Amino acid sequence: MTEILREKPVKFSLPRRIKRLEELAYNLWWVWHPEAQRLFKQIDDLLWEDSYHNPVVFLRDVDRTRMNAMINDRYFLDRYDRVMREFDRYMKENDTWFSKTYPALHDEQVAYFSFEFGLHESLMVYAGGLGVLSGDHLKQASDLGIPLVAVGFVYTYGYFSQRISEDGWQSAENVPIDFDALPLIRLLDEDGQPVKITIDLPGRKVCARIYELDVGRVKLYLLHTNLADNSPNDRQLTDMLYISDLELRISQEILLGMGGVRALRALGYQPTAWHMNEGHSAFLTLERAREYIQKGMSYDEATELIKKTNIFTTHTPVPAGNDEFPLWLIDKYFSHVWPELGLSREQFIEIAKIKQSWGGDAFSMPVLALKLSDFRNGVSELHGKVAREMWHFLWPDGKADETPIDHITNGIHTETWLARRMGVLFSRYMGADWVDHIYDPNFWAQVENIPDEEFWRVRRHLKRKLVADIINRGRQKWAGNNVHPVKTIASGVLLDPYALTIGFARRFATYKRANLIFRDYDRLLKIVTNPRMPVQFVFAGKAHPADEPGKLMIQEVYRAVKDARFGGRLAFLEDYDMNIARYMVQGVDVWLNTPRRPREASGTSGMKAALNGVLNFSILDGWWREGYNGHNGWAIGEDMTRSDDPEAQDEADALSLYETLEKEIIPLYYEQRSADNLPADWIAHMKESIRTLGGQFSMCRMVTEYMTRMYDPAIKNGIDERNGEV
Ligand SMILES: *Cc1c(COP(=O)(O)O)cnc(C)c1O
């Protein structure tokens, strides 16, 4: 293997005593260790905010005299030493869950491919839920010691920034990412040249650089094509997430799938198992097959082999949401590939053929991944069932419920999403080593040990913090250039830090029905403006720039937010991202989710809320259908789907929503106060939420399941194959 040099783009001049802050800045470990964040905050909290919590920018811009002063601050140095000790312990740990459970798999590797990774707000290589799931997956794999290596893209622009006009119309702004401001490590070969890989596109080669991002112990390799070697068109391949242009899209997916395999090879990796998170990376199956075919196998032999070590997770419960390409594009982009695989055009198309509603054929990425993976799963129990029905035609001999697609319900990375102050309570009342017990079913019952009064105090603190952050954002916009007053008001500056607060934040796709709550507008007006028991709503979320109905839905919500009759108790936060998500899932009282069943494959934001004691109030879809137990939040509607009549379903769900809000949620919050003015029953619900959902919907549970049910058997297949036992 060639020697790979790793180069950090920025050299900081730090006082020697605290020089290792640079190491912290270049490993995302600090993202889920609040004490490490507090180091930066303690140096200069305004700059920490201004740099959007980005240590690379922070260390680059921080005032030298300030930095020098820190080395005389005992309190700071103590924290620094403690954090660095903890970091070293973490990085050098050889006694992890994985090493204890799978000592024989010590030298194996699992490759993990995803279009997007949501690791932190300062790293815009994610769009939404899928990315946050991938990011959380990496953090957890690192925590458990799983030898995972990940592949994705670093984009020139990332995902768009959202602007909302006075009239509520979303526009998209593409802000170029400053690569030097990110903790990206450049990979160079022995001659100091960037490590690159190439892929073949029609009539040309496209090359991509590889950057490394360290996520604790896990490495994420990010491909990027905006290089002088490439034509202007090809330089755009990694411009943005979820481009609608099909040619760019198929090129991107070839780059991720086929290029990603080549990137790992170039860096000397020989993964034993390969996990495709959603179908975007499914071309990796073809590249893996090609590797064997080049060594003399037939296509059938090669695919029989690679299937045993491929894992595919599907996230899309609606056929229209799946990634597929018209056959003319496949002809254009793959006619040079099928001879390499020893296939005719017809045989090649047959691998992933899907019938379109209009009667023609297309090439489907999930079909490709499903057929060439022996391990397949949906992301919640209900979604598993929907996926088995949806893909039944691929296994027509069995019954629908025998379709070989399993499910592993999604989870969230506990330490990333838990409010720091909640973590302090956990440490004090549930054990200083509580993070080692996240997936221990008996552990969470200890939430009962937290005294109600302290618990309530933290919850109130978190809501005040949310409102203060919202007001601060509004004030900053107001001080910026020509903001219309109505936009400032809509941004939430009139919110009340003590009123019952309901959060709704997600992608504005129409099936998510952000407008369901407005179905009976007058009834909602009465609920919100009740002087004794006011209720407020905080909305956030982006619509895909090409999704006009989604943008109309934002506008509908925005118009209500601007309506003076609501008295400023509704707010819309622009540009939803992981930072806003954190404030919201930690700060509101109730988390609302109103998808049209069964289209929410899982959802994860509600899990983040639940962990923090925020009560879910949702349709029984995705994860909530498994999580809800009658005491840990509320259901909207029933455990059934009226797919034949969406209008009737909307009406029934809206009625259920208002009823539950008026008769249960609001009285529970305001009326049932104990002598010391604590809402004792509400607190009991919050603790029940943490007790029953905190562990079950953790990333720790999820990644453990992937390890035991998918990675372990896949790795064993791979080892057998290597030893010539197949
Ligand atoms: C958690 C999260 C999501 C996913 O939320 P859903 O429940 O799937 O809607 C999307 N975007 C951001 C920024 C998140 O943090």
Side-chain angles (χ1 to χ4, degrees):
M1 176 189 162
T2 55
E3 193 67 39
I4 306 281
L5 307 171
R6 302 164 74 254
E7 182 188 64
K8 295 172 186 165
V10 187
K11 301 264 182 300
F12 308 111
S13 57
L14 300 172
R16 173 119 48 96
R17 176 71 175 82
I18 51 176
K19 191 168 160 312
R20 297 190 65 206
L21 287 175
E22 175 175 318
E23 283 171 57
L24 275 192
Y26 279 95
N27 187 320
L28 293 176
W29 176 84
W30 64 266
V31 169
W32 66 103
H33 293 89
E35 276 298 293
Q37 295 161 28
R38 297 232 294 172
L39 271 179
F40 298 110
K41 212 169 152 159
Q42 193 179 340
I43 298 169
D44 184 342
D45 59 350
L46 283 179
L47 180 62
W48 180 240
E49 289 303 317
D50 283 349
S51 65
Y52 214 43
H53 317 127
N54 178 339
V56 175
V57 171
F58 180 89
L59 292 181
R60 188 189 69 192
D61 296 350
V62 68
D63 184 51
R64 287 291 309 168
T65 41
R66 184 86 202 108
M67 221 46 187
N68 288 332
M70 296 320 289
I71 55 177
N72 297 316
D73 181 335
R74 283 295 306 252
Y75 181 61
F76 176 79
L77 292 179
D78 279 352
R79 173 174 279 148
Y80 172 83
D81 292 337
R82 218 168 41 238
V83 168
M84 293 318 300
R85 255 198 319 275
E86 185 58 27
F87 181 56
D88 288 337
R89 194 195 57 72
Y90 183 93
M91 293 302 290
K92 294 190 183 121
E93 164 105 71
N94 40 28
D95 201 21
T96 62
W97 173 82
F98 176 83
S99 63
K100 281 186 280 198
T101 318
Y102 300 97
L105 305 188
H106 183 259
D107 295 324
E108 308 301 330
Q109 226 122 30
V110 179
Y112 180 91
F113 282 59
S114 185
F115 228 31
E116 44 166 323
F117 288 90
L119 291 152
H120 186 255
E121 59 257 24
S122 64
L123 246 160
M124 273 315 289
V125 295
Y126 69 95
L130 184 73
V132 174
L133 187 83
S134 312
D136 279 6
H137 194 117
L138 302 195
K139 292 169 184 169
Q140 190 68 50
S142 170
D143 289 346
L144 293 172
I146 296 174
L148 196 92
V149 54
V151 181
F153 291 136
V154 54
Y155 298 91
T156 307
Y157 298 98
Y159 201 51
F160 73 93
S161 294
Q162 179 189 51
R163 297 284 166 264
I164 305 279
S165 74
E166 284 148 55
D167 193 28
W169 193 248
Q170 168 184 292
S171 61
E173 210 172 282
N174 288 310
V175 187
I177 292 176
D178 173 3
F179 279 36
D180 285 351
L182 299 183
L184 293 176
I185 295 165
R186 277 123 216 246
L187 299 181
L188 307 174
D189 63 19
E190 287 149 324
D191 304 324
Q193 295 303 309
V195 178
K196 290 180 196 163
I197 53 108
T198 57
I199 54 160
D200 301 292
L201 293 185
R204 61 197 199 271
K205 288 191 183 303
V206 176
C207 83
R209 262 194 91 151
I210 311 171
Y211 292 89
E212 177 186 303
L213 197 59
D214 292 352
V215 185
R217 289 181 277 242
V218 164
K219 295 199 185 304
L220 166 58
Y221 294 105
L222 299 167
L223 305 177
H224 186 67
T225 64
N226 189 5
L227 309 173
D229 321 21
N230 292 329
S231 73
N233 252 340
D234 294 331
R235 293 178 71 151
Q236 293 175 31
L237 281 191
T238 51
D239 263 7
M240 267 176 271
L241 273 147
Y242 302 117
I243 312 181
S244 307
D245 181 283
L246 280 176
E247 288 223 42
L248 278 176
R249 187 68 170 262
I250 196 170
S251 308
Q252 267 190 335
E253 298 193 6
I254 292 170
L255 180 64
L256 180 63
M258 308 188 85
V261 176
R262 293 178 194 180
L264 290 179
R265 300 299 185 212
L267 299 172
Y269 287 94
Q270 306 297 339
T272 326
W274 302 73
H275 186 176
M276 291 165 266
N277 188 41
E278 194 50 301
H280 311 117
S281 54
F283 289 134
L284 83 79
T285 57
L286 301 181
E287 177 66 8
R288 289 196 65 207
R290 210 183 53 87
E291 291 181 336
Y292 284 104
I293 291 164
Q294 270 187 339
K295 290 184 199 151
M297 277 189 195
S298 70
Y299 174 82
D300 287 344
E301 289 166 342
T303 46
E304 272 316 302
L305 261 190
I306 60 156
K307 271 163 76 168
K308 295 189 164 68
T309 48
N310 282 342
I311 298 135
F312 171 56
T313 303
T314 169
H315 296 262
T316 320
V318 260
N322 277 303
D323 218 6
E324 48 197 40
F325 295 109
L327 296 187
W328 65 266
L329 256 189
I330 297 295
D331 284 340
K332 180 165 174 190
Y333 279 80
F334 282 91
S335 52
H336 66 281
V337 175
W338 55 67
E340 286 183 9
L341 299 173
L343 298 178
S344 68
R345 174 183 187 268
E346 280 58 44
Q347 288 169 319
F348 184 84
I349 304 247
E350 199 53 44
I351 309 173
K353 196 163 82 177
I354 192 165
K355 270 255 168 308
Q356 303 270 280
S357 49
W358 46 267
D361 291 329
F363 190 91
S364 156
M365 296 303 279
V367 171
L368 177 64
L370 285 166
K371 288 222 252 178
L372 295 187
S373 306
D374 272 355
F375 301 89
R376 317 168 192 90
N377 71 290
V379 291
S380 69
E381 189 182 42
L382 183 60
H383 176 234
K385 185 172 176 309
V386 170
R388 284 190 289 280
E389 281 160 15
M390 196 163 121
W391 302 111
H392 180 207
F393 72 93
L394 295 174
W395 287 271
D397 298 341
K399 295 204 200 80
D401 63 359
E402 292 163 359
T403 303
I405 301 175
D406 210 335
H407 79 270
I408 292 181
T409 303
N410 283 164
I412 51 145
H413 185 252
T414 309
E415 289 165 274
T416 296
W417 294 105
L418 185 70
R420 190 187 64 83
R421 288 276 291 265
M422 286 298 264
V424 171
L425 284 185
F426 285 11
S427 296
R428 189 172 304 151
Y429 295 103
M430 298 162 76
D433 62 344
W434 70 268
V435 285
D436 299 329
H437 299 281
I438 290 168
Y439 189 29
D440 173 352
N442 300 318
F443 158 74
W444 291 91
Q446 297 180 67
V447 69
E448 294 303 335
N449 301 348
I450 303 174
D452 281 3
E453 203 210 325
E454 278 187 60
F455 190 61
W456 187 238
R457 206 184 305 138
V458 169
R459 290 294 329 152
R460 287 181 29 128
H461 162 79
L462 291 170
K463 185 154 64 179
R464 280 197 305 270
K465 211 173 132 188
L466 166 70
V467 173
D469 176 67
I470 290 174
I471 292 174
N472 197 32
R473 281 169 195 270
R475 189 187 295 117
Q476 275 177 11
K477 291 226 172 77
W478 181 231
N481 36 18
N482 359 317
V483 176
H484 194 282
V486 81
K487 276 195 64 179
T488 301
I489 287 171
S491 72
V493 294
L494 300 181
L495 288 179
D496 173 350
Y498 299 101
L500 172 61
T501 303
I502 300 179
F504 180 100
R506 51 193 37 85
R507 187 160 55 88
F508 273 69
T510 46
Y511 79 85
K512 304 229 183 198
R513 298 188 297 185
N515 56 355
L516 192 71
I517 184 88
F518 298 108
R519 210 175 153 90
D520 187 339
Y521 203 87
D522 290 331
R523 194 162 174 185
L524 183 67
L525 265 171
K526 283 206 193 79
I527 293 172
V528 167
T529 56
N530 180 336
R532 278 178 43 252
M533 299 191 284
V535 177
Q536 55 194 10
F537 284 85
V538 181
F539 295 92
K542 297 174 176 180
H544 186 282
D547 180 4
E548 300 298 319
K551 288 195 270 189
L552 278 168
M553 199 169 267
I554 291 182
Q555 188 169 44
E556 188 181 344
V557 170
Y558 204 81
R559 285 192 171 148
V561 165
K562 286 194 312 188
D563 186 339
R565 288 177 296 166
F566 280 111
R569 293 195 182 277
L570 309 188
F572 188 97
L573 309 186
E574 246 175 26
D575 212 18
Y576 184 49
D577 69 354
M578 289 178 77
N579 186 43
I580 293 181
R582 212 165 46 240
Y583 275 107
M584 285 182 71
V585 298
Q586 296 173 357
V588 300
D589 298 297
V590 172
W591 195 251
L592 178 67
N593 193 13
T594 50
R596 189 171 282 141
R597 226 176 97 118
R599 299 184 57 171
E600 184 87 317
S602 167
T604 52
S605 55
M607 303 172 184
K608 304 168 191 168
L611 171 70
N612 284 288
V614 174
L615 297 176
N616 277 273
F617 178 33
S618 294
I619 301 287
L620 291 169
D621 196 9
W623 80 283
W624 188 233
R625 187 171 159 273
E626 288 158 63
Y628 175 61
N629 74 354
H631 310 284
N632 55 3
W634 296 274
I636 300 170
E638 292 153 34
D639 187 7
M640 61 178 284
T641 307
R642 296 169 217 231
S643 45
D644 48 332
D645 190 352
E647 183 59 29
Q649 169 123 39
D650 289 359
E651 184 60 21
D653 289 345
L655 285 178
S656 160
L657 193 161
Y658 293 124
E659 283 278 315
T660 309
L661 201 51
E662 289 164 346
K663 298 218 169 88
E664 295 184 41
I665 300 179
I666 298 170
L668 191 74
Y669 184 85
Y670 282 109
E671 288 183 339
Q672 289 157 25
R673 300 267 166 154
S674 63
D676 42 7
N677 200 29
L678 292 177
D681 289 348
W682 188 276
I683 294 172
H685 274 69
M686 293 198 290
K687 287 183 171 176
E688 178 70 0
S689 165
I690 295 175
R691 184 182 75 77
T692 55
L693 307 170
Q696 190 183 348
F697 296 97
S698 66
M699 194 42 84
C700 187
R701 188 271 307 148
M702 184 192 108
V703 173
T704 307
E705 275 197 66
Y706 275 99
M707 186 63 223
T708 50
R709 291 170 47 200
M710 307 272 170
Y711 298 166
D712 179 38
I715 289 173
K716 293 205 167 117
N717 289 344
I719 294 174
D720 288 348
E721 168 198 323
R722 208 165 52 215
N723 296 342
E725 283 164 23
V726 285

